[in-house]
Amino acid sequence: MTLLQEKWRAYRTPGYYTKYDYAWRLVVDLDSCTGCGACVVACQAENNLPIVGERAFQEKRDMKWLRIERYWEGEYPDIKMRFLPMMCQHCDQAPCETVCPVAATYHNQDGLNVQVYNRCVGTRSCAAYCPYEVRYFNWFSASWEAPLEQQLNPEVSIREKGVMEKCTFCVQRIRQAKDEAKDEGRRVQEDDFTTACAQSCPSKALHFGDANDPQSAVSQLAKNPRAYHVLSELNTEPSVTYLARGKAMESAS
Amino acid sequence: MNRVGNQTPDETPPKLADVNRDVIRTLTETTPLYWWTFGIAVMVAVLCFTLPWAYQLVTGIGVAGMNRPVIWGSYISCFIFWIGLSHSGTLLSAVLHITGSQWRKAIYRSAEAMTLFSLVVAVIFVLVHVGRPWFVYWTIPYPNQRELWPNFRSPLLFDVTAITTYMTASATFLFVGSIPDFAAARDGTIGWRHSMYRVLSLGWRGTQKEWKHLGWAYTFFAVLVIPLAVSVHSIVSWDLALSIVPGFHQTIFAPYFVVGAIYSGTAGIVTVMYFLRKYYHLERYILPSHFDKLGRLLLVLSLLWTYINIVELTTGWFSHHSFELEFIDYRLTGAWAPIYWSMIAFCAVLPLSLISSRVRTNLNVMLVLSIFINAGMLFERFIIITTSLPRKYLPNTWADYAPTWVEYSIMLGSLAIFVTLFLIFVKIVPSMSIYEVKEELLHNAKHQQENKP
């Protein structure tokens, strides 16, 4: 009976109940975020995102694993703008994972919501189920005009048409850091690596790290009273935590 | 050539010997009208379906109008529509067989064929919809050399399983019921047809034992097919209902889809019956009283469908959930509101006229009504997809969707594929059950004798 239960649990959420190696989390401090878009560009460069062009952008087919959503409050001229950097939330209870018929998206042992491009058949059901709209579909095969193909990141594969893709928390960097740490017989440390977006943020609004380490920045920041999850009422249990804008910042802007 | 066609359509009961002749005549005698229709259907299927699909395969699915929030579009709508249309055939035939209704006998063969071909077209739409159709076999659960299983939690996998099961069962049901008629066709034809029917009739001789087994097998499949048919569209509805998208996430969806499926399927049967009766000169077999009975069924279904639609909207409204309210607002007044209100007009308001028996027995009116109902049901499936996905949770991502010429063309082409398959079917399989019509005639004759004083 217990064996059966264990097998069932392992099947339901692979790697979950045995032990997390790491629990990768991202914290977005909206107090610090200026909406500059450096993270968007860094992500584009790091992950070989295609440049879709003006027309596709207007057709809502832009490819930005990380986008900065803008929301306005009030009427002109008394108007306030808020930023909400939105990337894959790597939900612990992800709606996209249950629906994929070929299990092209699943939860790995690090608590990441991973996407297997080669396994994807392109039913697009994961994107339909995702409440955060962070899954991007390859409507066409991407191409890079010379010499732009020279700047492609060799660590990241190019996706073909008909395949779904999304923010991976820079899984290639995670993989490399884990391999190096394993060679040295230790756990990945806080300052070994970070994601492209967190690395490029000029105001240090993005913090990436391992929540299994109680001393890490993300563990500390998650205790902040300003911490919240986007659409938490949907119970998707996201891995991305947002720190709301404080009262002082409200009056300053 | 057109022996019956030259007479005025008489509705006197046929003689037993006429039945074989009349039905086999539909197989062997082909009018120029048939060839014209067939040629046009094949041409439309190639031009409007195959070529745009090839273009889409080569270029990428971006040639369709879908975008990021509206990641599903007309292809999924058409898929649900065709699955729905498949519902009445086999389901109605099986239910009426078990309840022993006599009037099903003239129509059930074509109804079952409709089921099978709608399913074929629905499966084609799955292939058109997915991004990499050449890998679609990965969704089929079977032990394979890749040692990879599909995701058994996925409603899409339930779908694949349910549809393949339903397709197999419907095809078997159709075939089993046709065996004695293949034998009759074998005995009434010569040449290549004779050889073909000799294989198809599985050596049927019409002995007592064979009839007994046939009756047993047929009833078995009828009983098997009913829960299958109900489950198939419930499961199709779960593709949507198991999400957390406002407008999809509704507990009413399974019965809603099943009722909608039977509704559109019954209307489809009325359409097909009209054309069979008219162009095959089956006036003596397909009677206005059959249309009358189907009209009553359509009326009941339309009321049920209207009720479920009201429930769907009111549950969202009562939730006072801002996302639900936003979606309802978009559905009732947004970009696709004209389609929504025509759907209400076609499927909820117009069918109310079926309350009058003059409408139900006027075949031309019934034809128009049935086509309107199916147009409305196509709109319904379209509305479910295109008014829920554009208004998901994050307002920043809201966008509208409009199909492109590729999608419209494929929609038209799929209809041509259906018509082509059906036209091939009526030339190969006796489109009316010879032996059951004879049974009915004997039955009626016996009753008339008993009723004589």
Side-chain angles (χ1 to χ4, degrees):
Chain A
M1 186 63 198
T2 46
L3 181 72
L4 197 66
Q5 276 175 338
E6 267 171 29
K7 291 264 180 195
W8 174 245
R9 278 181 164 180
Y11 170 70
R12 289 278 298 182
T13 37
Y16 227 67
Y17 291 93
T18 49
K19 190 177 182 298
Y20 268 132
D21 288 354
Y22 297 92
W24 302 111
R25 294 278 186 275
L26 191 67
V27 176
V28 184
D29 190 348
L30 297 177
D31 255 356
S32 311
C33 176
T34 61
C36 68
C39 49
V40 179
V41 178
C43 180
Q44 189 108 23
E46 171 75 18
N47 292 302
N48 296 343
L49 294 184
I51 314 289
V52 292
E54 189 179 342
R55 184 159 162 250
F57 197 92
Q58 280 167 350
E59 287 171 347
K60 292 268 180 182
R61 289 176 179 174
D62 50 319
M63 291 279 195
K64 285 187 292 185
W65 287 3
L66 168 54
R67 63 171 187 264
I68 296 188
E69 296 194 348
R70 294 182 294 180
Y71 291 104
W72 282 269
E73 260 180 45
E75 294 290 322
Y76 179 81
D78 182 23
I79 196 165
K80 278 181 185 168
M81 186 159 76
R82 291 168 182 278
F83 302 115
L84 189 70
M86 182 55 63
M87 70 296 287
C88 176
Q89 304 283 309
H90 293 269
C91 312
D92 286 351
Q93 302 290 339
C96 57
E97 285 169 15
T98 55
V99 76
C100 181
V102 290
T105 182
Y106 71 99
H107 233 65
N108 78 355
Q109 74 281 6
D110 289 355
L112 290 181
N113 174 275
V114 289
Q115 174 78 19
V116 188
Y117 306 128
N118 283 343
R119 180 75 171 148
C120 179
V121 297
T123 66
R124 306 194 288 288
S125 42
C126 50
Y129 275 39
C130 175
Y132 302 98
E133 299 293 349
V134 287
R135 292 182 150 270
Y136 299 85
F137 187 69
N138 283 282
W139 301 102
F140 304 103
S141 282
S143 60
W144 282 265
E145 281 172 36
L148 282 178
E149 86 279 4
Q150 300 292 325
Q151 53 88 46
L152 292 177
N153 184 352
E155 303 286 331
V156 180
S157 53
I158 306 288
R159 284 76 61 179
E160 76 159 344
K161 64 173 185 268
V163 164
M164 192 63 75
E165 61 183 60
K166 64 166 193 70
C167 163
T168 59
F169 271 179
C170 288
V171 70
Q172 66 281 6
R173 296 188 178 203
I174 294 177
R175 176 61 59 200
Q176 194 185 352
K178 277 175 77 174
D179 283 352
E180 282 171 10
K182 192 179 160 198
D183 289 344
E184 294 165 21
R186 59 173 175 86
R187 277 179 73 85
V188 175
Q189 300 298 314
E190 176 84 42
D191 46 0
D192 277 359
F193 82 105
T194 188
T195 57
C197 52
Q199 187 184 6
S200 64
C201 184
S203 58
K204 301 232 176 328
L206 295 164
H207 304 268
F208 184 78
D210 174 20
N212 278 355
D213 174 8
Q215 301 307 318
S216 69
V218 285
S219 304
Q220 298 296 321
L221 286 169
K223 294 176 194 154
N224 194 311
R226 294 190 290 131
Y228 75 96
H229 293 307
V230 174
L231 300 174
S232 59
E233 70 269 30
L234 298 177
N235 291 326
T236 52
E237 299 179 18
S239 293
V240 181
T241 308
Y242 289 84
L243 303 183
R245 275 159 73 96
K247 281 281 185 301
M249 291 300 288
E250 291 279 292
S251 51
S253 61
Chain B
M1 184 177 159
N2 237 336
R3 195 172 50 81
V4 184
N6 297 335
Q7 301 167 1
T8 47
D10 67 323
E11 290 169 1
T12 52
K15 295 193 175 62
L16 283 185
D18 291 345
V19 180
N20 276 33
R21 257 207 310 278
D22 280 355
V23 176
I24 291 169
R25 177 175 50 80
T26 66
L27 300 172
T28 51
E29 289 180 13
T30 311
T31 58
L33 182 69
Y34 173 88
W35 286 116
W36 275 107
T37 327
F38 186 72
I40 290 171
V42 171
M43 213 164 71
V44 173
V46 171
L47 286 181
C48 296
F49 182 86
T50 319
L51 295 182
W53 190 29
Y55 169 58
Q56 178 182 297
L57 281 177
V58 172
T59 319
I61 208 156
V63 296
M66 288 164 278
N67 51 33
R68 200 172 66 246
V70 197
I71 202 96
W72 285 346
S74 64
Y75 296 150
I76 279 281
S77 313
C78 288
F79 161 73
I80 303 174
F81 172 75
W82 284 106
I83 293 269
L85 200 58
S86 81
H87 263 59
S88 258
T90 302
L91 184 62
L92 202 71
S93 165
V95 170
L96 295 178
H97 174 70
I98 289 171
T99 52
S101 301
Q102 295 301 313
W103 61 273
R104 80 185 256 286
K105 294 183 171 171
I107 58 156
Y108 82 92
R109 185 70 48 76
S110 24
E112 285 173 16
M114 209 170 84
T115 293
L116 197 60
F117 300 139
S118 315
L119 278 174
V120 170
V121 177
V123 171
I124 288 176
F125 265 107
V126 172
L127 296 177
V128 174
H129 168 77
V130 299
R132 303 203 292 177
W134 47 93
F135 289 138
V136 111
Y137 66 96
W138 287 353
T139 57
I140 300 169
Y142 68 101
N144 53 59
Q145 85 288 358
R146 303 183 306 281
E147 299 203 339
L148 282 170
W149 286 92
N151 177 8
F152 288 102
R153 290 185 292 173
S154 165
L156 275 76
L157 183 80
F158 309 166
D159 226 11
V160 171
T161 318
I163 290 171
T164 43
T165 314
Y166 185 49
M167 213 161 160
T168 317
S170 312
T172 319
F173 189 51
L174 173 62
F175 180 72
V176 167
S178 313
I179 292 174
D181 288 353
F182 285 137
R186 172 195 64 193
D187 300 341
T189 51
I190 50 166
W192 64 271
R193 283 199 179 86
H194 180 75
S195 324
M196 179 177 74
Y197 291 125
R198 205 170 56 200
V199 175
L200 284 175
S201 60
L202 303 178
W204 176 271
R205 285 166 302 160
T207 60
Q208 188 60 32
K209 207 170 179 180
E210 281 172 350
W211 280 110
K212 194 177 152 219
H213 285 314
L214 179 87
W216 191 87
Y218 196 69
T219 309
F220 171 80
F221 276 110
V223 174
L224 179 76
V225 150
I226 293 169
L228 263 184
V230 172
S231 74
V232 166
H233 224 64
S234 304
I235 288 172
V236 168
S237 83
W238 296 344
D239 283 352
L240 310 175
L242 289 185
S243 73
I244 48 174
V245 179
F248 284 179
H249 188 54
Q250 311 252 9
T251 43
I252 195 94
F253 255 41
Y256 179 29
F257 273 49
V258 173
V259 167
I262 299 172
Y263 189 26
S264 91
T266 311
I269 288 181
V270 172
T271 315
V272 169
M273 264 170 63
Y274 179 90
F275 287 115
L276 280 182
R277 177 187 151 92
K278 182 151 185 205
Y279 293 105
Y280 265 19
H281 308 292
L282 296 176
E283 287 90 352
R284 292 194 291 182
Y285 305 97
I286 301 174
L287 303 174
S289 67
H290 297 155
F291 284 86
D292 178 46
K293 280 164 181 157
L294 283 174
R296 288 173 201 216
L297 184 62
L298 278 179
L299 179 63
V300 171
L301 288 167
S302 87
L303 292 176
L304 208 65
W305 183 88
T306 312
Y307 166 75
I308 292 179
N309 258 278
I310 295 168
V311 169
E312 193 203 356
L313 284 182
T314 45
T315 41
W317 182 41
F318 286 163
S319 75
H320 274 273
H321 198 281
S322 60
F323 300 118
E324 289 279 352
L325 295 179
E326 192 61 50
F327 137 73
I328 289 173
D329 185 45
Y330 185 75
R331 176 170 287 188
L332 299 187
T333 62
W336 292 102
I339 296 291
Y340 178 79
W341 293 109
S342 0
M343 169 194 99
I344 296 288
F346 293 170
C347 294
V349 181
L350 280 183
L352 290 181
S353 62
L354 289 166
I355 196 102
S356 146
S357 67
R358 275 172 57 206
V359 171
R360 291 198 304 266
T361 48
N362 186 331
L363 305 193
N364 292 326
V365 175
M366 282 296 280
L367 174 72
V368 173
L369 258 182
S370 70
I371 289 174
F372 267 120
I373 288 173
N374 260 324
M377 291 311 289
L378 180 61
F379 290 169
E380 186 221 276
R381 277 58 185 259
F382 189 73
I383 282 294
I384 289 175
I385 303 286
T386 58
T387 62
S388 304
L389 288 172
R391 292 293 180 271
K392 277 166 76 180
Y393 290 96
L394 296 175
N396 190 271
T397 60
W398 289 355
D400 286 331
Y401 156 82
T404 59
W405 68 268
V406 177
E407 292 175 85
Y408 286 121
S409 173
I410 284 182
M411 237 184 259
L412 180 67
S414 70
L415 185 68
I417 291 179
F418 178 77
V419 172
T420 310
L421 289 173
F422 201 86
L423 286 175
I424 294 173
F425 167 84
V426 294
K427 284 294 158 195
I428 289 184
V429 183
S431 51
M432 198 177 67
S433 176
I434 299 173
Y435 70 100
E436 293 203 60
V437 167
K438 281 186 187 168
E439 265 176 24
E440 191 185 359
L441 291 175
L442 282 177
H443 182 80
N444 290 349
K446 210 168 130 194
H447 269 281
Q448 275 171 359
Q449 275 186 345
E450 280 169 5
N451 291 345
K452 273 180 191 163

